[in-house]
Amino acid sequence: MAQIDAVIAGVRVGDNSPVRLMGVVNVSPESFYKGSVKASEGELIRTVEAFLKSNTDFLDIGGRSTAPYLKTDVPLEVELERVVWAVKLVRDVFGDKIPIVVDTTRSRVAEEALRAGANIINDVSGLREDPRMATVARDYGAPLIVVARVPSYKRGVSPIDQVIEAVKDSLSRAVDSGVDEKAIVVDPGIGFNRFQELPWYVWDSMVLAELEKMRALGRPILVGVSRKSFIGEVTGRRDPAERLYGSLGATAIAVYNGAHIVRTHDPAETLDVVKVASFIRRLKSQYTSW
């Protein structure tokens, strides 16, 4: 299978690069993990400083909770104010030390964040919520993360195959709008696809188990499992603050099965896990026989 390599906002990502860390900062008090919420300048600055010390490659900033099981939506103006404030603050303090990802499904938020200094758009709707999002990415030359949002459950089709089909649809939407395919990263959407026919924690676990199949898309793979609800269901840890070790276990599996970027609330704790899992993955590909 062909090698996967790309340059995303100046960072080389893919088979021939280290697995990259994307640190998460939320400026939305509604977020499911309260430990990720940074409401003041001091908190935000200290967090980014710590991320940089942990070799974090990307900073993901979100101003609106996207957890599908929470009813915590906020008006556009609120999300816009939060995100632009955070992006401007990080740029003013840290300059260009770290690429900034704006985590939003609203094109206006993405556009204003890019104007304020963000580099990458992370659309967890897979370009389904706002048809203008791909146009903004094209016009600003911004790399785009597309997340698998499976529209409906297909009985008899494996979760990973349904994920791949959904991502293909999002890729087509992006490319048809003029986005450079070489600047697109794909995400299997852990935590976002929920159906009555199959428990979500089973779905997410099956996707991670067969993640390597996403290589067929030819794009770098980003996985975000950090402190998510499927980990709480598997471990019995209802409080996201107690899900660190489960997150690290799921991260190791994701990296071993092909993740090129890991989105995490805890870069310092995740760093060595990623190094070990990626080292073993490389050995697996290099030594096929003895």
Side-chain angles (χ1 to χ4, degrees):
M1 189 173 291
Q3 291 283 296
I4 295 175
D5 287 292
V7 177
I8 305 297
V11 179
R12 186 165 290 280
V13 175
D15 296 336
N16 297 316
S17 304
V19 174
R20 303 300 185 178
L21 294 180
M22 181 178 291
V24 180
V25 168
N26 288 308
V27 287
S28 48
E30 311 82 17
S31 292
F32 82 94
Y33 174 43
K34 304 309 177 185
S36 69
V37 177
K38 311 302 172 185
S40 69
E41 289 189 6
E43 285 182 311
L44 181 53
I45 290 169
R46 288 191 294 273
T47 298
V48 177
E49 287 175 341
F51 283 5
L52 289 170
K53 290 178 181 177
S54 303
N55 295 331
T56 304
D57 301 284
F58 302 97
L59 177 66
D60 182 281
I61 294 177
R64 169 190 176 208
S65 176
T66 55
Y69 54 88
L70 295 179
K71 302 299 183 183
T72 55
D73 202 10
V74 297
L76 168 64
E77 293 75 16
V78 173
E79 182 188 6
L80 186 62
E81 181 180 6
R82 291 171 174 176
V83 169
V84 170
W85 166 78
V87 171
K88 285 184 176 179
L89 178 61
V90 172
R91 277 289 166 258
D92 288 345
V93 175
F94 298 98
D96 295 326
K97 289 183 179 180
I98 189 167
I100 296 176
V101 181
V102 54
D103 185 347
T104 185
T105 60
R106 292 165 166 165
S107 62
R108 186 178 168 203
V109 174
E111 185 169 17
E112 293 301 325
L114 292 170
R115 288 178 177 172
N119 308 95
I120 303 165
I121 299 171
N122 181 12
D123 182 357
V124 300
S125 80
L127 303 179
R128 286 174 168 79
E129 184 170 315
D130 187 334
R132 187 171 169 266
M133 186 69 84
T135 303
V136 170
R138 179 200 66 198
D139 290 348
Y140 285 82
L144 180 64
I145 300 166
V146 293
V147 178
R149 297 305 291 266
V150 178
S152 60
Y153 183 83
K154 292 185 177 180
R155 189 175 301 278
V157 180
S158 70
I160 193 64
D161 287 338
Q162 295 183 61
V163 161
I164 290 170
E165 183 178 349
V167 172
K168 284 181 177 178
D169 177 75
S170 295
L171 286 172
S172 294
R173 293 170 187 246
V175 173
D176 289 349
S177 296
V179 177
D180 182 1
E181 188 172 3
K182 295 179 181 178
I184 300 176
V185 174
V186 298
D187 180 326
I190 298 298
F192 289 106
N193 297 299
R194 296 178 175 230
F195 308 101
Q196 292 183 348
E197 295 87 345
L198 186 70
W200 86 95
Y201 55 91
V202 174
W203 173 284
D204 288 340
S205 299
M206 292 174 69
V207 168
L208 289 178
E210 296 192 284
L211 185 68
E212 195 168 11
K213 285 188 175 181
M214 287 191 72
R215 290 184 59 87
L217 296 167
R219 306 306 313 142
I221 301 167
L222 182 152
V223 175
V225 297
S226 186
R227 300 183 182 268
K228 289 192 173 179
S229 61
F230 88 98
I231 292 172
E233 190 68 26
V234 171
T235 62
R237 305 287 185 181
R238 302 304 178 193
D239 185 350
E242 299 178 350
R243 297 176 188 164
L244 174 60
Y245 298 125
S247 298
L248 298 179
T251 295
I253 292 169
V255 171
Y256 182 75
N257 286 334
H260 299 105
I261 307 172
V262 171
R263 184 180 181 275
T264 175
H265 299 96
D266 310 283
E269 294 83 355
T270 304
L271 180 59
D272 284 355
V273 170
V274 164
K275 287 181 177 179
V276 172
S278 58
F279 179 76
I280 295 173
R281 182 178 81 190
R282 287 196 301 271
L283 290 180
K284 175 186 175 182
S285 64
Q286 291 172 2
Y287 297 96
T288 57
S289 62
W290 295 91

